[in-house]
Amino acid sequence: KHPRRNSLHDYRKSDGIHLFKTDSSLLTKSKSLSEVKCARRCSRNKGLSFICRAFHFDQKTRKCHWLSFDSNTPGVKKEQDFSFDLYEKKDYTRECIIGEGSSYKGIKSVTKTGLKCQAWASSVPHDHNFLPSRFKRKDLKENYCRNPNNETSGPWCYTTDPDIRHQSCEIPQCSEVECMTCNGENYRGPMDHTETGKECQRWDLTRPHKHTFHPKRYPDKGLNDNYCRNPDNRLRPWCFTLDPQTPWEYCNIKVCDVNAKTDIDTTTKCFRGQGEQYRGTVAVTPDGVQCQRWDSQFPHNHSYTPENYKCQDLRENYCRNPDGAELPWCFTVDTKVRTAFCTNIPRCDTEPPATEECFEGNGEEYRGHLSKTRSGVPCAMWEDNLDRSSATNSEIASLENNFCRNPDKDKHGPWCYTNNSSVPWDYCMIKPCKPSSNVIPTKSDPSQISCFRHKRIR
Amino acid sequence: IVGGAPVKIKEASWMVSIQKGNSHWCGGSLVREDWVLTDKQCFSSCVPDLAEYSVWMGFLHLNDTGREESEKQVLKISHVVCGPEGSNLALLKLSGAALQTENVRTIPLPVTGCAIPEHTNCTMYGWGETKGTGHDGIMKVVQLPIVSNERCNAYHRGSLPITESRLCAGGKRDEGVCEKDYGGSLVCEEGDFKVVVGVSVHGRGCARSNRPAIFVNVPYYAEWIHKVFKYYS
């Protein structure tokens, strides 16, 4: 059995707002009633001598004030008064439609090509049957665009051009008046129906579905009325539905063509704030453990996939902060360490990016202080690895701390050992100062060494 | 392999097929029981999602489910070690050691810094594109003469940098390496002794006249390979 629909779903609530009328012809009526009953009476116009467009609810006196006007009506001023909550009928205040827009009661009066609408009560220049007196429930006021016959193209009107009888007003769908980026966490648009057309439940109500996303608990998540929102990092904006059998559903919101905010705060060498805009390539934890790829579920299962977090740039296995954590982080390839913060990325304001370094020749003479491999794994101390090395005493002398060096004259440049068992050693994040000059071997310099001196060994 | 002929299994027992999602993706060479040498470009990065890859060896027919199936060995990759900057090489650490059988053997590495004389006929193996020359899905072999870097550079008209880290072979029309042969080995032979001197890397076009195929010069990187074996094993 479906519970009765709460009439508050028809209203847009503004906390602490009171409408003050300067035009005395505007009507009001008051009575002590609950918010819900107040809304129901306004929606049904029961016992009212005017069409109710909004109501105030006085939180102090618990009194309801029905209004024949809303904040868009001429001769009305908005005032701040914390004892009042203003509820305005959405149909009158929003300039967008859901579906065919049969309930649209906005004030647009121009067609899609810019023609002024003919008043519904007029028969000039076009004679017609949609007279306000015959269709009292269709709100055929003034010359406002309406959809009294459920046209699929939405609200329309007869035009004042004698050659064009009627035309659509092309009032946008509520799903399209505001577009969303990424997962729609910042979407604050007016869509209040799910992708299957179910009406959303108000966030400040807990029926038919109980939940904890109360607007006062999450003041920064835009949980106004019953609009589609994404307060918890789901794939897209969503809402609880008024269908008792369907707790929640996603909403279909238009995606913005470009994310205008991209790149402004992006950093690659260091991170600012919590590093949500860090887009660098560090892919290893401070302990030297490789990060797990975001698109992999091994060794750790997770939901932080590039598909789920479209604007978080979850490429490869780079450290990122898709969830508003303190710092960029990653899942690690170590089965025993699920996640780790990448504290090895410097903060932009405390540590300037390292200056570019390079090495001459094969880097044998390099004496710089670089101590990371090309994939960002910290180098291990040389003195802890001398038993692994076949370096001579003079070579050992150059092996300071954990700096990148080339004690074995490796032609590919400086390298170091690491404490990471999956990367025992690797080349360092440093390039030759000059590209190799022996790009094309000369004709007179072929190697004389035979390739076949090997003997098969067991 | 464009042109050439099918291989007999024992003739190319070091050859492996790197499978991506259960289809042949690249070639590779078993250089140790638990190491495969291949082209880095067979992987999206040096830290790929290894769950989708596996290494097959000891077989000839990609789709044979018959007798050959029992000889085939399938191993997962536990780690990719990317070669030095610009090398395009990768060493794949296997999750276990391949069992040495009649059909599965390692191939020796060449002497560090050695060179193969120009015009020496060496051999390239693979399961890649045949361009209509037949025997699709079967390991094929083609003979390719070594071309000096100087002449190779002239053939390619300077469009590809043929440095000492590269070597060239082939250049005959309709005989050469093609898509999905990449990562496979160019093998040269002296008497009965074979060594892997080249790793086929992704190039431009297949088996074109006067466009020798380009390989990573394995002797140039042999020290790196040994250094990886020494510390990673």
Side-chain angles (χ1 to χ4, degrees):
Chain A
K1 191 182 172 183
H2 282 222
R4 185 152 52 167
R5 180 179 175 278
N6 190 322
S7 296
L8 283 172
H9 287 100
D10 297 330
Y11 295 85
R12 185 182 76 183
K13 184 184 181 190
S14 306
D15 291 340
I17 296 292
H18 181 259
L19 292 185
F20 176 74
K21 62 181 174 100
T22 53
D23 180 347
S24 57
S25 66
L26 298 173
L27 301 173
T28 65
K29 188 179 174 181
S30 305
K31 194 174 180 180
S32 290
L33 272 181
S34 72
E35 273 167 313
V36 177
K37 284 183 179 169
C38 187
R40 195 181 305 150
R41 283 237 192 143
C42 184
S43 293
R44 294 178 182 176
N45 268 316
K46 198 178 166 187
L48 297 172
S49 59
F50 52 85
I51 291 178
C52 182
R53 297 167 77 102
F55 67 89
H56 289 132
F57 189 78
D58 188 336
Q59 295 287 356
K60 273 187 192 162
T61 61
R62 310 302 292 171
K63 209 168 179 185
C64 165
H65 305 269
W66 293 290
L67 313 173
S68 66
F69 50 89
D70 57 48
S71 55
N72 293 332
T73 308
V76 171
K77 276 185 188 171
K78 269 186 185 179
E79 288 177 342
Q80 205 165 50
D81 186 333
F82 289 108
S83 51
F84 284 95
D85 286 336
L86 171 66
Y87 288 87
E88 296 174 280
K89 272 190 188 166
K90 282 182 184 174
D91 286 341
Y92 288 108
T93 54
R94 67 180 167 195
E95 282 301 331
C96 63
I97 56 172
I98 306 284
E100 294 161 356
S102 312
S103 63
Y104 173 75
K105 291 183 178 64
I107 55 170
K108 191 175 181 191
S109 57
V110 177
T111 70
K112 65 178 179 184
T113 60
L115 298 174
K116 191 180 169 193
C117 291
Q118 173 186 316
W120 293 97
S122 169
S123 300
V124 179
H126 303 288
D127 194 13
H128 65 93
N129 288 327
F130 283 112
L131 297 170
S133 54
R134 287 185 62 189
F135 294 89
K136 284 182 182 163
R137 292 189 170 194
K138 301 291 181 183
D139 197 54
L140 301 176
K141 287 237 164 69
E142 308 287 341
N143 61 341
Y144 302 145
C145 302
R146 294 288 182 265
N147 195 359
N149 57 342
N150 302 330
E151 282 283 336
T152 52
S153 55
W156 56 276
C157 66
Y158 294 104
T159 84
T160 50
D161 181 341
D163 296 330
I164 299 174
R165 184 170 166 78
H166 55 79
Q167 200 170 62
S168 164
C169 296
E170 212 162 61
I171 292 167
Q173 289 289 332
C174 289
S175 59
E176 293 182 348
V177 288
E178 203 170 306
C179 62
M180 63 165 220
T181 56
C182 310
N183 292 14
E185 287 154 43
N186 296 320
Y187 174 74
R188 297 293 181 265
M191 187 57 182
D192 56 7
H193 282 68
T194 70
E195 59 190 358
T196 65
K198 291 187 167 68
E199 192 175 4
C200 293
Q201 176 182 317
R202 287 184 70 89
W203 296 98
D204 55 4
L205 297 179
T206 50
R207 291 175 84 173
H209 303 291
K210 269 192 177 176
H211 65 91
T212 57
F213 289 104
H214 196 276
K216 287 199 168 68
R217 196 172 168 190
Y218 297 94
D220 57 336
K221 300 291 184 184
L223 302 178
N224 303 322
D225 302 312
N226 62 339
Y227 299 126
C228 301
R229 296 289 182 259
N230 190 2
D232 58 348
N233 286 322
R234 294 190 198 185
L235 299 183
R236 286 181 279 139
W238 59 277
C239 65
F240 297 104
T241 85
L242 290 188
D243 177 354
Q245 309 303 321
T246 310
W248 70 275
E249 268 185 354
Y250 283 117
C251 304
N252 206 2
I253 311 279
K254 182 185 170 185
V255 176
C256 302
D257 294 335
V258 280
N259 184 1
K261 202 180 171 290
T262 53
D263 298 336
I264 298 168
D265 303 321
T266 297
T267 62
T268 54
K269 302 277 182 211
C270 52
F271 74 91
R272 286 198 189 93
Q274 291 164 258
E276 280 152 325
Q277 293 301 318
Y278 172 73
R279 297 293 180 265
T281 56
V282 171
V284 70
T285 72
D287 297 331
V289 182
Q290 287 280 343
C291 292
Q292 175 180 323
R293 288 179 65 91
W294 296 100
D295 59 4
S296 169
Q297 296 295 319
F298 182 80
H300 304 289
N301 257 324
H302 64 92
S303 60
Y304 290 98
T305 61
E307 296 75 35
N308 287 356
Y309 292 83
K310 292 193 175 71
C311 286
Q312 264 67 25
D313 188 45
L314 301 182
R315 281 181 293 138
E316 305 281 337
N317 59 340
Y318 303 146
C319 297
R320 293 288 182 265
N321 185 0
D323 61 343
E326 290 167 56
L327 302 168
W329 58 274
C330 67
F331 295 100
T332 85
V333 298
D334 185 339
T335 50
K336 291 173 192 151
V337 183
R338 181 169 166 81
T339 63
F341 284 115
C342 301
T343 51
N344 40 334
I345 305 169
R347 274 192 185 277
C348 295
D349 37 4
T350 55
E351 201 176 321
T355 50
E356 283 287 316
E357 276 191 291
C358 61
F359 65 85
E360 300 284 350
N362 63 2
E364 218 179 315
E365 302 300 323
Y366 173 74
R367 294 294 179 268
H369 289 184
L370 187 71
S371 56
K372 268 183 195 173
T373 70
R374 55 189 170 159
S375 59
V377 181
C379 292
M381 300 297 279
W382 288 100
E383 63 183 20
D384 296 340
N385 291 281
L386 288 179
D387 54 333
R388 297 160 78 181
S389 167
S390 51
T392 62
N393 284 344
S394 65
E395 286 163 354
I396 287 170
S398 71
L399 301 178
E400 308 161 74
N401 296 323
N402 62 341
F403 303 140
C404 297
R405 293 289 181 264
N406 193 355
D408 61 349
K409 303 178 179 58
D410 189 319
K411 66 179 152 203
H412 306 296
W415 57 278
C416 66
Y417 295 109
T418 86
N419 289 326
N420 182 339
S421 59
S422 60
V423 188
W425 73 273
D426 200 2
Y427 296 107
C428 286
M429 207 183 278
I430 184 169
K431 291 190 170 159
C433 299
K434 284 182 225 157
S436 176
S437 56
N438 53 353
V439 170
I440 302 163
T442 57
K443 200 176 182 179
S444 56
D445 189 28
S447 168
Q448 297 301 312
I449 306 168
S450 164
C451 291
F452 302 93
R453 283 191 206 153
H454 281 292
K455 283 180 183 169
R456 248 184 224 285
I457 53 167
R458 282 165 63 89
Chain B
I1 299 288
V2 179
V7 183
K8 286 178 188 164
I9 185 69
K10 289 173 204 169
E11 289 174 10
S13 53
W14 65 89
M15 276 297 293
V16 307
S17 159
I18 298 169
Q19 298 267 319
K20 188 180 181 189
N22 275 335
S23 56
H24 173 73
W25 181 248
C26 272
S29 308
L30 191 70
V31 287
R32 282 215 170 178
E33 288 86 341
D34 52 352
W35 285 102
V36 166
L37 183 65
T38 188
D39 177 4
K40 187 174 88 172
Q41 291 183 63
C42 295
F43 298 90
S44 56
S45 75
C46 298
V47 200
D49 181 2
L50 292 172
E52 59 183 334
Y53 292 96
S54 60
V55 173
W56 292 7
M57 57 193 91
F59 75 105
L60 291 176
H61 299 78
L62 284 173
N63 298 318
D64 192 2
T65 52
R67 191 182 61 83
E68 210 183 47
E69 188 68 13
S70 60
E71 308 285 323
K72 190 168 81 184
Q73 295 185 42
V74 177
L75 288 164
K76 297 294 285 181
I77 302 166
S78 67
H79 200 72
V80 176
V81 181
C82 281
E85 205 66 29
S87 68
N88 270 1
L89 281 183
L91 274 165
L92 313 181
K93 175 83 170 161
L94 302 178
S95 56
L99 188 64
Q100 300 275 301
T101 66
E102 222 179 13
N103 299 339
V104 175
R105 296 250 179 240
T106 57
I107 183 153
L109 291 163
V111 171
T112 298
C114 75
I116 300 289
E118 190 166 19
H119 308 301
T120 306
N121 265 332
C122 295
T123 318
M124 175 69 201
Y125 302 80
W127 288 272
E129 178 66 49
T130 67
K131 294 276 177 192
T133 57
H135 308 290
D136 291 72
I138 304 171
M139 198 199 320
K140 286 178 73 181
V141 59
V142 67
Q143 295 284 313
L144 303 174
I146 297 288
V147 176
S148 72
N149 284 16
E150 190 188 29
R151 281 207 306 131
C152 189
N153 202 53
Y155 277 133
H156 286 282
R157 294 172 193 162
S159 61
L160 294 168
I162 315 294
T163 68
E164 61 184 329
S165 65
R166 297 287 182 269
L167 63 85
C168 298
K172 273 191 196 169
R173 193 177 168 181
D174 296 333
E175 279 191 9
V177 293
C178 202
E179 297 296 325
K180 298 195 179 179
D181 287 324
Y182 304 125
S185 48
L186 179 73
V187 168
C188 301
E189 198 169 348
E190 195 175 71
D192 279 343
F193 198 76
K194 290 175 178 168
V195 290
V196 52
V197 298
V199 169
S200 168
V201 287
H202 287 70
R204 300 178 184 181
C206 309
R208 290 166 66 196
S209 172
N210 293 328
R211 292 285 188 280
I214 300 169
F215 298 81
V216 180
N217 184 6
V218 176
Y220 184 80
Y221 290 105
E223 276 179 343
W224 167 72
I225 296 169
H226 289 297
K227 198 163 157 180
V228 170
F229 289 166
K230 182 176 174 184
Y231 293 113
Y232 278 71
S233 295

